[in-house]
């Protein structure tokens, strides 16, 4: 009898442990999901898979801190509270002191007895809710479905730059590419093509109006974001190689990534703008205020164009900032623009033409980084950061125009992708915005060597900006296509104009054996 009681006791303890483990996992997953939705409200599974395959080196510590404070710690607190209430049930009743009509009374709250079947039902419904919410926000089921269906779309439409003639003018212009973190046209007022009541980025709007900016309409609406192009590394690949990033599995021999997440080569079958310009005698230079190794950026640009990389650690090595300096992702854009001026003057003093690229970071999701230059115009901190970013990039362009090298320099400004900030449009958008308009990436070409045949009412994605940058430099591209992108200065139809966005995005989301074997892995 004693043995039987001991066995039953052990079984009961095991059941309680299992229930508590499941409870903790559900609380933890719920808090984590809420945090992900707040910080990465519009990413898909492509980015999640890519990020999980990449080392986290270079990621902002602010994200880890935010996750700990707003997700992990609340999960622990809720679980401890649940544990307290769970084990409190073993007592006969909860006794609370209450003041009723000026007198003290004991209030007995008898615990609710929950049957095992009821516990299983609650856990099942809770799990189902987590799965459905995650799927609704991150398109998990669509991603899985697309991996089960192969498409030949990329193979049929991809143009390898090595297979065509690209001719540059004798007097090769310099190119300055300013990739602005999360820059989208939605931040403008509604009458200018944005989605806000007040134009948050008036200086960027002025640049677009005064120069060449390609648009989806007669207003200032930029490029659509195709699947696999919606985060920083993917946005840079889209605009420099005309393709998305599509990553399915961990690779084996000859693959992009091994089981440790360390890659042998980044998109070895791809030829990018960097390689094209390197062959033309350009010095490729990329500057960023963060650790550029994050997301494989250093590997991609060093392997595709032999770029000189100048980032957070370069600034420390040159004594620009102290060794222990760290603000958000690295150092603020205010410093980045000043260091960029120095490097541009240095590059301009040499005999070879230069391709100078830079990536800002203050406007990253998570509320952005508010520097000393930021105004206090808006209630939302993120909008103030954007107002500051607009003024800074405008001032930087004005400085460029004053330099001797400007006469033979093309300036290209574009967002890398749309913002992952999930609430600023919901809270501050114009009453005219009905919530159904797709957000677009900002773009402008200044001092371009080509004249566009049509800038308005175009359907195009950020991949089309790849050959368009070369055309802005005066390059003549046979067939007007590179990768999956089409030169927007020409009258050639983009893939979005030929197939429509729905078909284009659907086909790009599917598995492509050509992409895997010819671009991603190669033998």
């Amino acid at each position: 009898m004693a043995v039987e009681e001991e066995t039953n006791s052990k079984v009961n303890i095991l059941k309680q442990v299992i229930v508590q483990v499941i409870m903790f996992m559900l609380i933890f997953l719920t808090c984590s999901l809420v945090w992900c939705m707040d910080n990465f409200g519009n990413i898909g599974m492509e980015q999640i898979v890519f990020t999980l395959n990449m080392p986290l080196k270079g990621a902002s510590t602010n994200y880890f801190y935010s996750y700990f404070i707003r997700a992990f710690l609340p999960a622990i607190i809720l679980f401890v509270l649940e544990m307290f209430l769970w084990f409190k049930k073993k007592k006969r009743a909860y006794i609370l002191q209450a003041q009723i009509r000026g007198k003290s009374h004991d209030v007995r709250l008898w615990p609710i007895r929950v049957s095992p079947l009821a516990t299983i039902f609650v856990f099942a419904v809770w799990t189902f809710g987590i799965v459905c919410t995650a799927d609704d926000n991150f398109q998990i089921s669509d991603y899985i479905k697309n991996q089960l269906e192969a498409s030949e779309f990329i193979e049929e439409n991809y143009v390898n730059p090595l297979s065509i003639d690209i001719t540059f003018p004798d007097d090769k212009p310099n190119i300055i590419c300013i990739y602005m973190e999360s820059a989208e046209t939605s931040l403008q007022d509604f009458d200018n093509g944005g989605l806000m009541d007040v134009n948050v980025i008036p200086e960027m709007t002025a640049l677009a109006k005064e120069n060449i900016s390609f648009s989806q309409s007669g207003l200032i609406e930029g490029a659509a974001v195709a699947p696999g192009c919606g985060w920083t590394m993917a946005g840079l690949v889209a605009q420099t190689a005309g393709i998305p990033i599509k990553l399915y599995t961990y690779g084996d021999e000859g693959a992009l990534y091994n089981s440790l997440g360390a890659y042998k080569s980044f998109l070895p079958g791809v030829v990018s703008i960097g390689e094209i310009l390197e062959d033309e005698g350009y010095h490729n230079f990329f500057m960023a205020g963060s650790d550029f190794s994050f997301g494989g950026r250093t590997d991609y640009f060093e392997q595709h164009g032999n770029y000189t990389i100048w980032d957070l650690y370069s600034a420390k090595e040159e004594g620009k900032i102290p060794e222990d300096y760290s603000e958000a992702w690295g150092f603020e854009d205010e410093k980045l623009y000043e260091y960029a001026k120095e490097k541009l003057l240095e590059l301009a003093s040499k005999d070879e033409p230069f391709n100078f690229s830079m990536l800002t970071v203050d406007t990253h999701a998570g509320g952005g980084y508010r520097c000393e230059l930021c105004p206090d115009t808006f209630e939302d901190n993120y909008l103030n950061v954007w107002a500051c970013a607009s003024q800074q990039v405008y001032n930087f362009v004005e400085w460029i125009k004053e330099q001797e090298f400007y006469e033979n320099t093309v300036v290209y400004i574009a967002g890398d992708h749309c913002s992952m900030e999930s609430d600023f449009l919901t809270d501050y958008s114009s009453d005219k915005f009905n919530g159904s308009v797709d957000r677009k990436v900002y773009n402008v070409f200044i001092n371009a060597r080509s004249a566009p045949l049509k800038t308005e009412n175009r359907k195009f994605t950020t991949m089309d900006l790849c050959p368009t940058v070369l055309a802005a430099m005066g390059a003549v591209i046979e067939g007007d296509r590179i990768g999956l992108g089409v030169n927007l200065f020409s009258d050639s139809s983009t893939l979005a104009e030929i197939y429509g966005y729905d078909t284009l995005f659907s086909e790009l989301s599917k598995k492509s054996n050509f992409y895997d074997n010819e671009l991603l892995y190669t033998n």
Side-chain angles (χ1 to χ4, degrees):
M1 187 71 176
V3 173
E4 183 178 349
E5 290 180 355
E6 182 180 354
T7 301
N8 289 336
S9 177
K10 290 181 178 180
V11 170
N12 288 332
I13 292 174
L14 179 61
K15 288 180 180 179
Q16 291 182 19
V17 170
I18 292 174
V19 168
Q20 293 306 314
V21 169
I22 296 174
M23 178 66 75
F24 174 74
M25 292 302 298
L26 291 174
I27 293 174
F28 178 74
L29 289 173
T30 300
C31 292
S32 298
L33 180 59
V34 171
W35 181 85
C36 288
M37 290 165 58
D38 287 341
N39 286 274
F40 308 107
N42 62 342
I43 69 171
M45 276 301 295
E46 295 96 344
Q47 178 178 355
I48 295 173
V49 172
F50 176 80
T51 303
L52 290 176
N53 276 274
M54 300 298 295
L56 290 178
K57 182 179 182 294
S60 171
T61 55
N62 285 1
Y63 274 107
F64 297 105
Y65 177 77
S66 172
Y67 178 78
F68 178 80
I69 296 297
R70 297 176 57 193
F72 183 77
L73 193 59
I76 295 297
I77 293 173
L78 289 173
F79 179 66
V80 170
L81 178 62
E82 184 276 329
M83 288 281 288
F84 172 77
L85 295 176
W86 176 273
F87 288 107
K88 191 76 173 177
K89 289 196 308 181
K90 293 183 178 180
K91 295 188 176 182
R92 186 176 180 185
Y94 303 109
I95 301 177
L96 302 177
Q97 293 291 326
Q99 293 289 329
I100 302 177
R101 295 181 179 179
K103 296 182 179 180
S104 179
H105 297 271
D106 289 341
V107 179
R108 294 177 178 270
L109 299 177
W110 294 90
I112 299 174
R113 303 295 180 183
V114 181
S115 69
L117 287 178
T119 301
I120 293 173
F121 175 78
V122 171
F123 284 174
V125 172
W126 193 347
T127 303
F128 181 75
I130 291 174
V131 171
C132 289
T133 304
D135 182 54
D136 184 56
N137 283 272
F138 304 112
Q139 300 87 47
I140 299 173
S141 60
D142 288 343
Y143 179 81
I144 295 173
K145 181 182 69 175
N146 286 328
Q147 308 323 308
L148 301 176
E149 183 178 358
S151 168
E152 297 180 353
F153 183 86
I154 294 179
E155 180 177 5
E156 293 171 350
N157 290 280
Y158 178 78
V159 175
N160 189 329
L162 298 179
S163 67
I164 60 175
D165 290 328
I166 303 176
T167 307
F168 283 79
D170 294 333
D171 185 16
K172 297 174 183 176
N174 306 308
I175 176 74
I176 298 175
C177 300
I178 306 171
Y179 299 104
M180 298 187 69
E181 172 63 48
S182 305
E184 57 177 271
T185 55
S186 308
L187 292 154
Q188 302 173 118
D189 59 296
F190 204 83
D191 291 338
N192 276 308
L195 304 177
M196 312 295 286
D197 274 325
V198 178
N199 194 346
V200 181
I201 53 171
E203 296 84 5
M204 292 171 64
T205 300
L207 288 175
K209 286 183 174 181
E210 295 166 3
N211 298 283
I212 298 170
S213 182
F214 295 95
S215 175
Q216 307 278 333
S217 68
L219 302 175
I220 303 172
E221 293 184 51
V225 181
C229 302
W231 65 97
T232 297
M233 187 65 249
L236 293 175
V237 169
Q239 295 182 47
T240 57
I243 63 166
I245 288 182
K246 298 170 66 66
L247 184 63
Y248 306 111
T249 59
Y250 290 96
D252 296 319
E253 185 64 27
L256 178 62
Y257 303 105
N258 62 30
S259 59
L260 298 177
Y263 35 85
K264 299 175 181 178
S265 56
F266 201 118
L267 295 169
V270 167
V271 176
S272 74
I273 284 178
E275 289 153 296
I276 294 171
L277 294 182
E278 182 185 22
D279 289 343
E280 292 293 328
Y282 280 76
H283 180 180
N284 293 321
F285 191 101
F286 208 119
M287 173 178 279
S290 58
D291 178 353
F292 206 62
S293 65
F294 179 71
R297 293 176 298 191
T298 296
D299 298 276
Y300 173 74
F301 284 100
E302 285 185 343
Q303 294 168 15
H304 295 276
N306 194 29
Y307 280 74
T308 298
I309 305 299
W310 200 96
D311 64 356
L312 170 65
Y313 296 105
S314 305
K316 292 180 178 181
E317 289 173 3
E318 293 186 11
K320 299 291 186 183
I321 55 177
E323 282 292 330
D324 59 349
Y325 192 89
S326 178
E327 292 290 342
W329 284 80
F331 60 81
E332 56 271 42
D333 292 345
E334 177 187 1
K335 290 183 173 62
L336 180 68
Y337 283 117
E338 292 305 313
Y339 302 155
K341 293 175 184 178
E342 296 176 9
K343 294 300 177 182
L344 280 169
L345 292 175
E346 181 182 324
L347 291 170
S349 66
K350 300 178 180 179
D351 294 332
E352 59 189 352
F354 62 80
N355 164 27
F356 179 89
S357 298
M358 61 184 291
L359 174 66
T360 67
V361 74
D362 281 1
T363 49
H364 203 286
Y369 175 80
R370 189 169 181 176
C371 71
E372 296 179 353
L373 300 177
C374 290
D376 192 22
T377 307
F378 303 97
E379 293 182 9
D380 185 80
N381 181 71
Y382 191 61
L383 298 185
N384 286 315
V385 172
W386 262 114
C388 183
S390 177
Q391 183 67 62
Q392 286 191 73
V393 73
Y394 182 86
N395 291 342
F396 183 60
V397 170
E398 289 301 298
W399 177 86
I400 292 173
K401 290 180 178 179
E402 296 173 355
Q403 309 311 307
E404 291 184 6
F405 63 77
Y406 174 69
E407 183 179 353
N408 194 39
T409 299
V410 178
V411 180
Y412 165 61
I413 307 173
D416 53 353
H417 53 76
C418 289
S419 176
M420 296 176 188
E421 196 78 7
S422 60
D423 56 2
F424 78 95
L425 275 180
T426 303
D427 296 338
Y428 298 99
S429 60
S430 168
D431 293 337
K432 301 176 183 177
F433 173 46
N434 59 15
S436 62
V437 180
D438 292 328
R439 293 151 64 181
K440 304 295 191 298
V441 172
Y442 177 89
N443 75 91
V444 63
F445 294 84
I446 302 169
N447 206 26
R449 294 295 182 270
S450 300
L453 298 176
K454 180 182 179 183
T455 60
E456 299 178 346
N457 299 307
R458 300 294 308 263
K459 289 184 178 180
F460 65 102
T461 72
T462 52
M463 294 185 294
D464 295 305
L465 296 173
C466 170
T468 305
V469 167
L470 294 179
M473 299 171 67
V476 177
I477 305 168
E478 179 186 356
D480 291 315
R481 295 175 60 182
I482 291 178
L484 299 176
V486 172
N487 169 21
L488 296 174
F489 280 91
S490 72
D491 58 358
S492 298
S493 298
T494 67
L495 295 183
E497 289 169 335
I498 295 171
Y499 297 100
Y501 285 127
D502 290 343
T503 299
L504 174 62
F505 290 2
S506 175
E507 293 299 316
L508 290 178
S509 297
K510 296 174 183 177
K511 183 177 178 61
S512 168
N513 293 324
F514 170 82
Y515 185 97
D516 288 352
N517 299 326
E518 301 297 328
L519 304 179
L520 182 62
Y521 296 150
T522 73
N523 294 319

